[in-house]
């Protein structure tokens, strides 16, 4: 198979540097990708800057039509995309199919939102000397956008940057994950076939640190980054005056109250903790259960965890496949051993084979242990009992992160208290932390991020308000 070329200024580019992409389950090479170097990245930035003079003037109708065409083409290649995602990430095929459906939604919704970038009228006659004045305010595209994306949703998280950028009238340079660049390059083929002006979308596969060029180059007006907190915050420190949107990780907490529907809570927690091998930023990591139902909850969780379908990601029954690579699985295995040595107990799991880590439940883990304090990004949960609801909220907040939290309760006071007190970007009632609809505002507080994604909210970040003051003389 020929290595995949990348797209700069409407041209498909091959270079002397190649990188191979490995399937973490079979450990075989599923593709090769040409790598962009500093010169090609510079060309991509230049072409995005040139193309912006055209993309900024596209009409709402034109932007919407382009996005609708992208959604339609993904729709007609659904299975190809699903297999590609499973091939390069090891994501179970049924989860890959869901991701493709979500990406179609994200582009379709972006097509709709492209028609809804409205403004408002501001009265200015609020003081005696400001008679006969009124102002119009509307949003204008910010400029070329630099987008950097992670491996775990290689299609939909790219869609969350490209969709709003095209809707807003911005041009784009995308740097996809080196672990999963094939899906983004396939999407680039589709975007290349639309009538988006040449250079309006560029994709530059390259090693992570080389993408800093996007962050430091003044022609890029906004960096939208999804990935790990360490990389994200370091990039923000280097971005100078550039606007930066950070969608980072977390160690999501979930509360199971005494009056919760336990069977429902267990189903959703198991799905939210182990689906995609826990490699989601809102994956359930820390579960706090009311003491009156703790024993029943932990017995059921143990049973369900042991019976979860694991293994070959191409098998339609598989829920837990491999993690992205052996290094990632081995790191978390080490954290589990460390917690056990420090006094935690293993309810089940904990064993690793290559990149595959068994779904794992740990009890008696203290907040400062890595499996609680850090983002595990693996099929691992800790469970702990609580007495008072307020105490559970404090336990969730005892974290440097704050992306989303789940609360299973039927007590309205507790719902309102959790909404007011939980230090997170979103509180999900009667579901786990691991819920996302692609139009909702999505992002974290504390170390989990800066700004919001979700199509209309990302469009706001990618545009700037401008006022037109009108004076009657
Ligand atoms: P990562 O290692 O931080 O990588 C993310 C992206 O940043 C990749 O494209 C990577 O390129 C690039 N990168 C790495 N170093 C860079 C540098 N110095 N300058 C510029 N770019 C650089 O994260 P990951 O392992 O792919 O993804 C997992 C993380 O993403 C987790 O923390 C997860 O919680 C987070 N995440 C957050 C959200 C959200 O919406 N909040 C959603 C999904 C995932 P290479 O691949 O070439 O290294």
């Amino acid at each position: 198979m020929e290595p995949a070329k990348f797209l700069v200024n409407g041209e498909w580019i091959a270079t002397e540097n190649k990188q191979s992409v490995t399937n973490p389950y079979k450990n075989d090479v599923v593709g090769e990708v040409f790598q962009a170097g500093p010169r090609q990245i510079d060309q991509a930035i230049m072409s995005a800057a040139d193309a912006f003079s055209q993309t900024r003037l596209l009409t709402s109708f034109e932007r919407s039509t382009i996005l609708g065409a992208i959604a339609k083409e993904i729709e007609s290649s659904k299975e190809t995309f699903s297999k590609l995602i499973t091939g390069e990430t090891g994501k179970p095929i049924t989860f890959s199919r869901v991701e493709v459906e979500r990406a179609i939604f994200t582009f379709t919704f972006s097509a709709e939102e492209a028609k809804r970038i409205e403004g408002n009228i501001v009265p200015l006659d609020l003081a005696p000397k400001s008679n006969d004045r009124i102002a119009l305010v509307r949003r204008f595209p910010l400029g070329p956008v630099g987008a950097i994306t992670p491996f775990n949703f290689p299609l939909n998280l790219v869609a969350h940057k490209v969709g709003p950028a095209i809707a807003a009238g911005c041009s784009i340079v995308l740097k996809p994950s080196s672990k999963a660049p094939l899906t983004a390059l396939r999407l680039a083929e589709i975007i290349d076939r639309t009538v988006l002006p040449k250079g309006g979308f560029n994709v530059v596969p390259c090693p992570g640190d080389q993408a800093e060029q996007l962050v430091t180059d003044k022609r890029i007006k906004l960096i939208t980054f999804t990935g790990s907190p360490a990389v994200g915050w370091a990039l923000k420190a280097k971005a100078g005056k550039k606007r930066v949107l950070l969608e980072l990780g977390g160690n999501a907490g979930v509360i199971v109250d005494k009056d919760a529907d336990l069977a429902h809570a267990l189903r959703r927690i198991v799905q939210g903790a182990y689906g995609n091998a826990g490699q989601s930023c809102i994956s359930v990591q820390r579960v706090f259960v009311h003491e009156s139902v703790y024993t029943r909850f932990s017995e059921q969780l143990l049973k369900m965890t042991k019976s979860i379908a694991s293994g070959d990601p191409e098998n339609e029954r598989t829920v837990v496949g491999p993690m992205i690579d052996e290094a990632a699985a081995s790191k978390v295995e080490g954290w589990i051993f460390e917690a056990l040595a420090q006094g935690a107990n293993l309810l089940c799991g904990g064993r690793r084979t290559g990149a595959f880590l068994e779904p794992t439940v740990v009890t008696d883990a203290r907040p400062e242990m890595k499996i609680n304090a850090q983002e595990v990004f693996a099929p691992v949960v800790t469970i702990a009992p609580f007495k008072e609801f307020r105490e559970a909220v404090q336990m969730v907040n005892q974290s440097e992160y704050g992306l989303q939290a789940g609360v299973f309760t039927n007590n309205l006071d507790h719902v309102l208290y959790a909404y007011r007190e939980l230090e997170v970007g979103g509180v999900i009632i009667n579901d786990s932390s691991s819920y996302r609809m692609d139009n909702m505002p999505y992002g974290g507080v504390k170390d989990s991020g800066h700004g919001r994604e979700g199509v209309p909210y990302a469009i706001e970040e990618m545009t700037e308000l401008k006022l037109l003051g009108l004076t009657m003389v």
Side-chain angles (χ1 to χ4, degrees):
M1 210 192 321
E2 281 291 297
K5 294 179 180 171
F6 57 88
L7 183 67
V8 172
N9 201 27
E11 307 290 332
W12 288 92
I13 312 277
T15 57
E16 283 176 1
N17 293 327
K18 285 178 279 187
Q19 180 232 320
S20 51
V21 182
T22 308
N23 174 288
Y25 184 71
K26 295 182 182 153
N27 222 2
D28 58 1
V29 172
V30 290
E32 276 193 310
V33 176
F34 287 113
Q35 296 278 280
R39 195 162 62 85
Q40 290 83 25
I41 296 174
D42 183 65
Q43 283 167 350
I45 296 172
M46 193 161 56
S47 65
D50 287 348
F52 181 63
S53 61
Q54 295 174 62
T55 59
R56 63 187 276 272
L57 298 177
L58 290 172
T59 65
S60 307
F61 172 76
E62 287 167 329
R63 285 178 272 118
S64 180
T65 305
I66 291 165
L67 288 161
I70 296 171
K72 218 168 159 194
E73 277 227 43
I74 301 175
E75 173 94 46
S76 64
S77 315
K78 274 203 281 203
E79 201 51 19
T80 309
F81 271 109
S82 305
K83 286 187 174 146
L84 206 48
I85 294 170
T86 293
E88 63 179 351
T89 66
K91 179 177 287 194
I93 187 71
T94 49
F95 289 76
S96 298
R97 288 181 185 138
V98 172
E99 181 177 350
V100 176
E101 291 294 349
R102 285 181 61 188
I104 294 166
F105 174 86
T106 304
F107 276 112
T108 305
F109 196 70
S110 298
E112 290 163 11
E113 285 297 303
K115 299 183 226 163
R116 289 196 280 257
I117 306 177
E118 293 168 353
N120 56 321
I121 291 183
V122 181
L124 298 177
D125 57 345
L126 306 187
K129 290 196 174 146
S130 188
N131 292 343
D132 298 325
R133 287 172 192 267
I134 200 159
L136 306 187
V137 182
R138 58 157 289 208
R139 293 191 163 273
F140 286 83
L142 203 60
V145 165
I148 304 176
T149 51
F151 73 83
N152 62 331
F153 287 86
L155 182 61
N156 196 36
L157 291 179
V158 171
H160 266 289
K161 301 188 183 311
V162 176
I166 294 177
C170 295
S171 53
I172 308 141
V173 181
L174 168 71
K175 185 296 195 226
S177 163
S178 297
K179 290 167 186 151
L182 299 171
T183 307
L185 291 170
R186 181 83 194 195
L187 177 67
E189 287 174 25
I190 287 178
I191 299 174
D192 187 37
R193 287 198 288 271
T194 69
V195 295
L196 186 71
K198 198 164 85 144
F201 175 76
N202 307 273
V203 55
V204 285
C206 63
D209 54 358
Q210 280 194 26
E212 286 185 19
Q213 205 175 328
L214 295 175
V215 179
T216 50
D217 194 296
K218 288 197 172 127
R219 292 168 291 182
I220 297 286
K221 299 302 177 199
L222 171 135
I223 286 290
T224 168
F225 174 87
T226 301
S228 60
V231 174
W233 289 111
L235 290 183
K236 183 166 181 295
K238 291 181 182 151
K241 295 176 184 164
K242 202 186 292 308
R243 201 179 281 185
V244 178
L245 185 57
L246 297 179
E247 299 294 335
L248 309 177
N251 56 355
V254 171
I255 299 173
V256 182
D257 207 356
K258 60 182 164 196
D259 65 355
D261 177 337
L262 218 54
H264 168 70
L266 278 155
R267 265 196 313 276
R268 298 302 301 157
I269 286 170
V270 164
Q271 177 86 9
Y274 308 136
N276 197 22
Q279 297 170 116
S280 155
C281 49
I282 43 176
S283 184
V284 177
Q285 182 171 334
R286 300 172 299 140
V287 184
F288 305 102
V289 187
H290 191 267
E291 59 179 7
S292 62
V293 290
Y294 182 78
T295 306
R296 232 177 349 130
F297 179 90
S298 52
E299 283 169 3
Q300 282 299 317
L301 181 64
L302 174 64
K303 227 192 242 171
M304 290 168 80
T305 303
K306 281 184 161 171
S307 64
I308 199 157
S310 313
D312 184 353
E314 285 174 19
N315 183 331
E316 300 205 333
R317 289 188 52 251
T318 298
V319 177
V320 185
M323 289 177 61
I324 190 66
D325 54 31
E326 189 164 348
S330 160
K331 181 183 81 175
V332 178
E333 182 191 32
W335 290 2
I336 296 169
F337 285 151
E338 187 180 286
L340 300 183
Q342 291 169 349
N345 287 300
L346 192 65
L347 205 57
C348 63
R351 278 176 306 188
R352 178 184 69 81
T353 314
F356 184 83
L357 183 67
E358 282 180 351
T360 301
V361 184
V362 175
T363 62
D364 308 301
R366 290 191 303 281
E368 69 279 9
M369 292 179 183
K370 289 193 187 106
I371 48 165
N372 268 332
Q374 310 271 323
E375 176 182 39
V376 292
F377 216 58
V380 177
V381 276
T382 65
I383 55 172
F386 69 86
K387 274 188 186 9
E388 299 294 333
F389 189 78
R390 286 172 181 234
E391 183 195 345
V393 169
Q394 272 171 16
M395 287 158 115
V396 172
N397 285 346
Q398 199 170 13
S399 166
E400 288 178 359
Y401 300 108
L403 197 47
Q404 271 191 181
V407 181
F408 292 90
T409 185
N410 288 306
N411 181 323
L412 182 59
D413 283 348
H414 288 179
V415 170
L416 297 176
Y417 182 79
Y419 183 44
R420 194 185 69 196
E421 297 297 330
L422 282 170
E423 298 163 356
V424 288
V427 176
I428 310 295
I429 300 298
N430 284 328
D431 206 340
S432 85
S433 52
S434 191
Y435 171 81
R436 181 176 186 186
M437 184 72 202
D438 293 286
N439 65 327
M440 71 188 213
Y442 186 76
V445 298
K446 299 167 81 180
D447 282 4
S448 288
H450 183 72
R452 291 291 177 273
E453 239 173 33
V455 177
Y457 306 92
I459 290 174
E460 269 190 30
E461 305 273 2
M462 291 174 180
T463 50
E464 188 86 89
L465 286 176
K466 196 197 271 187
L467 174 138
L468 178 69
L470 297 171
T471 315
M472 197 167 91
V473 286

